[in-house]
């Protein structure tokens, strides 16, 4: 699973390598279409949910469950048959929801991935390096 920036760069460079007429054909194409039609057969577009967060004041009300359900519905509407999800390994509350209640299963572990932390005083996100799990489920 490539991070968003890398995946976008691969798609952009692939389309940029085409002639003008072909570039116009793919100008508004989905990533899934570009991956299916232009990238190597061992590359495929996948739908990934990451950085899902619920305010501490709003937790335990089913909001994350509803957000996941909506993301899964969108993925299905877009033609994906599987949803991937990134969760920090130490986030036991989120893992309990994803693996226990929503039926996600572990695909693999990324030893060093980028996690985001909200700095409420500064009003910014800070990047930290954390072990991350890639989970998935069939839709």
């Amino acid at each position: 699973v490539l991070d968003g920036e890398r995946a976008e760069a691969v798609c952009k460079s692939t389309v940029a390598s085409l002639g003008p007429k072909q570039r116009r054909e793919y100008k508004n194409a989905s990533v899934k279409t570009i991956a299916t039609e232009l990238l190597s057969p061992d590359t495929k577009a996948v739908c990934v949910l990451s950085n899902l967060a619920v305010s501490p004041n709003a937790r335990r009300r089913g909001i994350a469950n509803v957000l996941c359900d909506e993301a899964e519905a969108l993925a299905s509407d877009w033609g994906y048959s599987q949803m991937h999800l990134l969760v920090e390994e130490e986030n036991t509350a989120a893992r309990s929801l994803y693996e226990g209640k929503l039926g996600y299963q572990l695909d693999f572990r990324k030893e060093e991935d980028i996690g985001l932390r909200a700095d409420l005083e500064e009003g910014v996100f800070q990047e930290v390096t954390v072990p991350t799990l890639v989970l998935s489920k069939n839709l």
Side-chain angles (χ1 to χ4, degrees):
V1 175
L2 297 177
D3 65 70
E5 276 185 29
R6 179 76 179 120
E8 184 177 352
V10 168
C11 287
K12 282 183 177 180
S13 68
T14 300
V15 172
S17 70
L18 301 172
K21 184 177 179 182
Q22 285 181 301
R23 275 197 307 269
R24 282 192 296 277
E25 290 176 29
Y26 288 98
K27 178 181 175 186
N28 296 315
S30 69
V31 171
K32 186 174 182 181
T33 299
I34 292 168
T36 302
E37 296 180 10
L38 299 178
L39 299 180
S40 66
D42 63 337
T43 304
K44 71 175 189 173
V46 296
C47 196
V48 179
L49 175 61
S50 67
N51 299 319
L52 175 65
V54 176
S55 169
N57 298 334
R59 291 183 183 155
R60 312 263 333 138
R61 298 182 190 168
I63 294 170
N65 194 351
V66 170
L67 291 171
C68 285
D69 288 346
E70 288 297 319
E72 291 169 9
L74 280 172
S76 183
D77 288 349
W78 293 339
Y80 292 94
S81 60
Q82 191 173 47
M83 174 70 108
H84 295 268
L85 183 139
L86 305 179
V87 61
E88 291 180 19
E89 185 173 45
E90 293 182 6
N91 190 343
T92 55
R95 288 182 60 193
S96 176
L97 170 67
Y98 303 143
E99 295 173 296
K101 189 171 183 182
L102 298 179
Y104 282 84
Q105 298 196 354
L106 178 65
D107 279 343
F108 60 93
R109 179 180 187 269
K110 296 169 81 174
E111 182 65 37
E112 293 186 356
D113 201 9
I114 301 298
L116 296 176
R117 298 289 180 272
D119 182 335
L120 300 178
E121 291 179 14
E122 296 292 323
V124 297
F125 286 105
Q126 295 179 342
E127 292 184 350
V128 295
T129 302
V130 293
T132 301
L133 303 178
V134 178
L135 310 177
S136 69
K137 82 180 235 185
N138 293 327
L139 301 177

